[in-house]
Amino acid sequence: MGRPLLIDGLANARDLGGLSRAGGSVTPMGAFIRAEMLDRLDESGWESLRNYGVRTVIDLRRPSERSGGVPDAIELVCLDLDGDEQDFWAAFEADGRWGTPLYYLAHLHDVPHQLAAVLRAIAAADEGAILFHCGAGWDRTGLLAAVLLRALDVTHDAAVEDYVASFKNAEAMAALHGRSFDVEERLGVLTRFGHTPESAFRSMYERLDLEDWFRIAAIDEQTRIAVTSWRGAANAED
């Protein structure tokens, strides 16, 4: 997986750099960091993130979930990646797939404008690292991470390893945040659909055709270039 970040107030944070790409190179460090909610960060934690290069935080949570803020030196962008399209979410909420990668492809194709707004924000962000997060740093964060990893043709094995790291971090997250992150429930849903966390993410990632999705979502050229080069940090052809 990418480089774990040992920062007080975070238990599921990692740099998406250092992941193997199909061409033999690795993803660049210091471009994108994924994490869970930032509520437990104190002044020293924020200082650590700023020293690491974070200049923008993208909060993917629904408005009702948002809490806290960020220091003045860091830009906060709040975008509800889920969206409120109840016609889309009803089936996934009924059978529990909403908390797994089993909804990712449907979300990308049925409500593409939600992720498109996030990618436009990434393209427009100031220089510096971008930290993106949701509540657990697991599935909304995982969906965005999957797209970013696919953009640099990260290998299937490396992408899967990054996703399942959140399962490995679940106990530490529960201790830090004082709440359950529903590991057994997630596993139960996946089992009912014939999957493990690894197979569910891998199946989705193998079928994720990013160029086709760019077309469906009407992604502009500036945003496409920003995503496929990780804001100029990587060679998309490498």
Side-chain angles (χ1 to χ4, degrees), residues 153-235:
D153 205 13
V154 168
T155 66
H156 297 176
D157 287 347
V160 168
E161 187 176 4
D162 175 69
Y163 175 74
V164 300
S166 293
F167 281 85
K168 299 174 183 177
N169 293 335
E171 186 175 346
M173 279 200 291
L176 174 65
H177 297 285
R179 50 160 287 195
S180 168
F181 288 91
D182 304 320
V183 174
E184 294 305 318
E185 288 83 348
R186 292 173 189 265
L187 293 174
V189 170
L190 291 170
T191 298
R192 290 201 305 274
F193 284 89
H195 280 292
T196 64
E198 292 86 349
S199 71
F201 188 89
R202 186 182 296 273
S203 175
M204 176 280 305
Y205 193 74
E206 289 175 346
R207 292 181 289 153
L208 177 53
D209 185 335
L210 197 54
E211 287 299 328
D212 184 57
W213 183 80
F214 284 154
R215 178 186 58 79
I216 292 170
I219 298 297
D220 62 274
E221 185 67 6
Q222 179 181 355
T223 298
R224 189 191 69 79
I225 291 172
V227 172
T228 56
S229 70
W230 277 26
R231 291 162 38 90
N235 181 350

Side-chain angles (χ1 to χ4, degrees), residues 34-82:
R34 59 178 295 175
E36 79 269 38
M37 65 185 102
L38 309 182
D39 304 56
R40 296 291 183 180
L41 284 172
D42 59 15
E43 185 176 343
S44 66
W46 281 112
E47 183 178 4
S48 295
L49 286 176
R50 180 161 175 78
N51 289 341
Y52 197 74
V54 172
R55 296 296 180 269
T56 301
V57 165
I58 298 181
D59 185 344
L60 303 174
R61 295 177 295 177
R62 297 181 179 186
S64 61
E65 298 176 83
R66 294 172 192 155
S67 58
V70 303
D72 291 341
I74 294 177
E75 181 74 18
L76 174 63
V77 179
C78 294
L79 291 168
D80 176 6
L81 181 55
D82 277 347

